[in-house]
Amino acid sequence: MNFFRKLAGPMVALVSITFLAWMVFDLSGITGNSGFARSRAAGSVNDLSLDSRDYELMVQRASEQQQRQNQGTLGADDFARLRDQVWSEWVDQAVLVSEYHRRGLSVSDEELAEAIRTTPLPEIAQNETFQTNGQFDMAKYQRWLSSGSAAQILPALEERYRSEMMRAKLLRVISADIFVSDAELWLRFRDEHEQVKVDLAAIIPRNAVPDATVPVTDAEVQAYYRAHGDQFERAETAYLSYVMVPRGLDPADSAAALSRIRDVRAEIVAGAKFEDVARRESQDAVSAAKGGDLGEWTRGQMVAQFDSVAFKLPVGQLSGPFLSPFGYHILQVTGRTGNKVKGRHILVNIELAGPHRERVDAVADSLERIAADRVDPAALDTAARALGLRVMRALPLQKGTSLQAGASVVPNVGTWAFQRATAGAIGNVEETTDALYLFRIDSLTPAGIPALETIRPTVEHEARQAKKWERARAIGVDLQKRLDEGATLDMAARALGLPHQVLGPFTRVNPPLPNPTFIGTAFSLQPGQRSHVIDTPEGLYLVESVQRTPADSAAFVRQKDELWTRTIALLRQDRVRLYMQALHDNAKIVDYREDILRESEKARAAADAQTAAGR
């Protein structure tokens, strides 16, 4: 039994990883099963459908796993991201399964058994249970496969192997024809090693043309809006008001944390076991679960305040309380060799405490009681007056983004606002490290192109930028004319007040400007040659070649085999990436999750209204 317990960590991870693969493979019928009776679909990919109950089960499992890893609960924003991640991963798997069906790919029972018997998964091969003298022991692994312990996780193991073997077969098929000629290898080598140095004059419209010289009339703003409406298309947007209760820490909070860490230290000095106290008191959740153990670390891995104590404290001695950016610690070093140290610690965060916490909690309670979770917009104003708070406006919030209030990003509000999507709705009290917040939805605008009057400053700015480009091109014509008349690049640039500088040496793969037109021009010129003004999306440039260093053909011959191996690997990666993108682009992906969520919200709102009417 102890043998199996040692495998618990890797096996839990294995089951979590394979659950998604099972949901796609088994429910698609590819394993030979007929699947289950289904209710409403959360979505579908081609001919594969994901039942909403299965989707929620996948989300639940992913949520539980993430909470175990992070030692905490998930907020609304976190949960929304997790739901999207689970959906995206299922879509990836379903797209692949559809392609397996189309190509008639399969994994036989014999192939599956042979792979499991001879090719252990990395997380199993690295587990000390299957090692002898630090090396993986195949005999131990194969004995385990025949044991009753292995039988408990073999179904999950088989699905993990099946998924990876099917994917490997597909990747071999789609990359089998990749070939690289010597000529192509030489071009790649040249791109990495040929160097040039250039003199560059730049005309960047936003810098070269002052705003004051480019007036924009109302007629020009309207014309630009009509001609470029798609440029201003916006996602669904919510406009919110909020009240804020500062909860910044004060000296009394720091004193309370210091007093607590001193009490913790005194308990250990009096005879309590360090690990027991750490599990109970430490606010470093990860190390607390291990009795405060931090394992081994190298000098520089921890913050300076922590390392300073760790590398001076005698081994076995308990430190006094000391402060780091995370709070107050006590530390016990259990071993030290050179620049490495082992130890365990207890952390007490500096947080709201005593009368300060009571005051903030009282305001939060009042906000909850007076205004939270209402659909009466006046409730927020009532709460603000009662508590002496100011009602403020948040920046416009677009769907899929996080809300910013002042300098702080407030969690969960972005998700809540579009789930409720009701003007006048008031949320629950949200908190950051600096403040408590309560938000109200003032209005919502649907996705699309806003009316001109609501975005006039933005349209005016873009119209002005367009006129700046016209002026910049005129400056480019003037620059070219001066050069054609015999001026040097330095003379012409100075006369027009344009910046110019020598850049390089640089290669095609490591240019100073990530502009393909500039790069192509720079390498097309011989020393002393000059380009015409080139017009690019980033600005206008004129390039003069100063120096050119060809790639070394003898070095190419010496490195050709290594370059071939690296190039083939990169081409395979590119082929797989493009192939997967094409599968996604051509797949029929239908997502019903928003519809289901809206219906759930309507049902909840109706239930709330019915409950309120019955009071």
Side-chain angles (χ1 to χ4, degrees), residues 6-178:
K6 290 182 180 179
L7 285 173
M11 291 307 103
V12 167
L14 172 66
V15 171
S16 300
I17 292 167
T18 58
F19 179 69
L20 178 65
W22 173 81
M23 292 298 291
V24 179
F25 278 85
D26 190 74
L27 303 183
S28 71
I30 201 169
T31 61
N33 297 327
S34 59
F36 300 112
R38 294 290 169 236
S39 62
R40 179 165 184 184
S44 64
V45 173
N46 298 330
D47 56 344
L48 301 178
S49 181
L50 175 60
D51 185 85
S52 59
R53 294 172 300 182
D54 295 328
Y55 171 66
E56 293 302 335
L57 179 58
M58 291 156 64
V59 170
Q60 179 184 339
R61 292 206 176 184
S63 173
E64 290 170 354
Q65 183 178 0
Q66 188 162 324
Q67 288 181 79
R68 282 195 301 270
Q69 290 173 345
N70 298 338
Q71 300 289 313
T73 58
L74 299 178
D77 284 355
D78 298 324
F79 196 67
R81 281 191 290 270
L82 185 66
R83 292 177 68 86
D84 287 341
Q85 178 185 330
V86 168
W87 167 253
S88 178
E89 290 173 354
W90 184 83
V91 168
D92 289 344
Q93 287 283 356
V95 164
L96 283 172
V97 169
S98 291
E99 186 66 0
Y100 302 153
H101 277 305
R102 189 181 74 82
R103 288 181 174 270
L105 298 177
S106 63
V107 173
S108 69
D109 292 344
E110 291 76 15
E111 288 178 299
L112 194 60
E114 179 67 10
I116 293 174
R117 191 180 68 82
T118 61
T119 312
L121 295 170
E123 56 266 39
I124 290 180
Q126 293 164 12
N127 189 274
E128 62 181 15
T129 302
F130 300 113
Q131 293 181 354
T132 301
N133 298 325
Q135 299 294 318
F136 174 72
D137 189 326
M138 182 65 79
K140 283 185 177 180
Y141 170 65
Q142 292 183 348
R143 283 197 301 271
W144 173 74
L145 284 176
S146 302
S147 69
S149 298
Q152 299 177 45
I153 60 104
L154 272 178
L157 199 63
E158 288 174 354
E159 292 309 325
R160 169 77 177 276
Y161 271 89
R162 187 184 301 277
S163 175
E164 295 191 3
M165 292 172 71
M166 292 285 281
R167 184 182 178 90
K169 283 190 175 188
L170 176 62
L171 299 190
R172 282 196 296 272
V173 168
I174 65 177
S175 62
D177 63 335
I178 290 177

Side-chain angles (χ1 to χ4, degrees), residues 604-615:
R604 188 175 77 87
D608 289 347
Q610 187 174 2
T611 302
R615 287 175 184 163

Side-chain angles (χ1 to χ4, degrees), residues 299-319:
R299 188 190 296 271
Q301 283 185 269
M302 301 291 193
V303 294
Q305 299 90 332
F306 202 90
D307 265 2
S308 177
V309 175
F311 285 92
K312 292 178 182 176
L313 188 68
V315 174
Q317 182 174 316
L318 187 64
S319 77

Side-chain angles (χ1 to χ4, degrees), residues 97-291:
V97 169
S98 291
E99 186 66 0
Y100 302 153
H101 277 305
R102 189 181 74 82
R103 288 181 174 270
L105 298 177
S106 63
V107 173
S108 69
D109 292 344
E110 291 76 15
E111 288 178 299
L112 194 60
E114 179 67 10
I116 293 174
R117 191 180 68 82
T118 61
T119 312
L121 295 170
E123 56 266 39
I124 290 180
Q126 293 164 12
N127 189 274
E128 62 181 15
T129 302
F130 300 113
Q131 293 181 354
T132 301
N133 298 325
Q135 299 294 318
F136 174 72
D137 189 326
M138 182 65 79
K140 283 185 177 180
Y141 170 65
Q142 292 183 348
R143 283 197 301 271
W144 173 74
L145 284 176
S146 302
S147 69
S149 298
Q152 299 177 45
I153 60 104
L154 272 178
L157 199 63
E158 288 174 354
E159 292 309 325
R160 169 77 177 276
Y161 271 89
R162 187 184 301 277
S163 175
E164 295 191 3
M165 292 172 71
M166 292 285 281
R167 184 182 178 90
K169 283 190 175 188
L170 176 62
L171 299 190
R172 282 196 296 272
V173 168
I174 65 177
S175 62
D177 63 335
I178 290 177
F179 170 77
V180 185
S181 67
D182 285 357
E184 185 176 351
L185 282 177
W186 164 250
L187 291 177
R188 287 175 175 268
F189 182 85
R190 183 204 64 182
D191 290 351
E192 294 177 1
H193 294 86
E194 185 177 23
Q195 295 183 333
V196 295
K197 181 188 289 187
V198 300
D199 194 355
L200 177 72
I203 308 171
I204 309 301
R206 65 177 180 274
N207 301 327
V209 184
D211 283 2
T213 66
V214 189
V216 180
T217 67
D218 183 65
E220 288 173 325
V221 170
Q222 293 185 41
Y224 191 90
Y225 176 77
R226 287 193 299 270
H228 302 87
D230 291 349
Q231 181 180 339
F232 305 105
E233 190 165 356
R234 299 289 187 268
E236 186 178 355
T237 303
Y239 298 86
L240 301 101
S241 296
Y242 68 97
V243 292
M244 178 186 73
V245 181
R247 62 190 301 268
L249 302 174
D250 64 19
D253 299 319
S254 182
L258 179 58
S259 175
R260 181 179 167 193
I261 197 75
R262 283 172 173 163
D263 290 344
V264 167
R265 185 180 189 280
E267 186 178 352
I268 295 171
V269 170
K273 288 185 177 181
F274 188 107
E275 54 268 30
D276 292 341
V277 178
R279 288 189 182 94
R280 187 184 73 239
E281 298 289 345
S282 182
Q283 291 174 284
D284 176 359
V286 175
S287 68
K290 297 181 286 187

Side-chain angles (χ1 to χ4, degrees), residues 18 137 183 212 347 383 416 515:
T18 58
D137 189 326
L347 168 68
W416 162 78
N515 183 307

